[in-house]
Amino acid sequence: VQLQASGGGLVQPGGSLRLSCIASGNIFSINNMGWYRQAPGKQRELVADMTTGGTTDYADSVKGRFTISRDNAKNTVYLQMNGLKPEDTAVYYCHYMAVPIETLRTSVYWGRGTLVTVSS
């Protein structure tokens, strides 16, 4: 299973970006899809997560500004980020809990990361 994230870039404070992450490979099923981020000098942290059933979890710092969604048919997760702040600057990683056909066991997969820079 491979994850490919896209959509990062440079945006001014108050602006918006939409991240996407698509999974490819021999996938039997995908459970949770989510996004983490890691700012310079800080630990990686959860940004948002969504279960197969649609239950979401957000970091307090992004509630009301970010929205996670998923397209199960496309094995894709999105993160709509509005009202971006300089403190949102980080590398954003998509994170899947997926079941590959080869093993039929749930494993964790990470995308390579996409850089989001919020600056004027």
Side-chain angles (χ1 to χ4, degrees), residues 34-84:
W35 293 92
Y36 284 68
R37 68 185 179 187
Q38 187 166 17
K42 295 188 177 182
Q43 290 188 333
R44 192 174 296 188
E45 62 175 0
L46 173 70
V47 177
D49 183 80
M50 178 178 270
T51 67
T52 305
T55 300
T56 57
D57 186 23
Y58 292 95
D60 288 342
S61 59
V62 308
K63 284 180 181 177
R65 300 188 296 124
F66 291 11
T67 302
I68 188 171
S69 60
R70 59 191 280 174
D71 185 332
N72 293 324
K74 296 181 179 179
N75 292 337
T76 301
V77 65
Y78 305 97
L79 185 68
Q80 178 66 44
M81 305 185 293
N82 299 328
L84 282 161

Side-chain angles (χ1 to χ4, degrees), residues 75-98:
N75 292 337
T76 301
V77 65
Y78 305 97
L79 185 68
Q80 178 66 44
M81 305 185 293
N82 299 328
L84 282 161
K85 305 175 181 180
E87 51 264 42
D88 294 318
T89 295
V91 177
Y92 285 70
Y93 299 89
C94 52
H95 169 274
Y96 282 36
M97 295 180 67

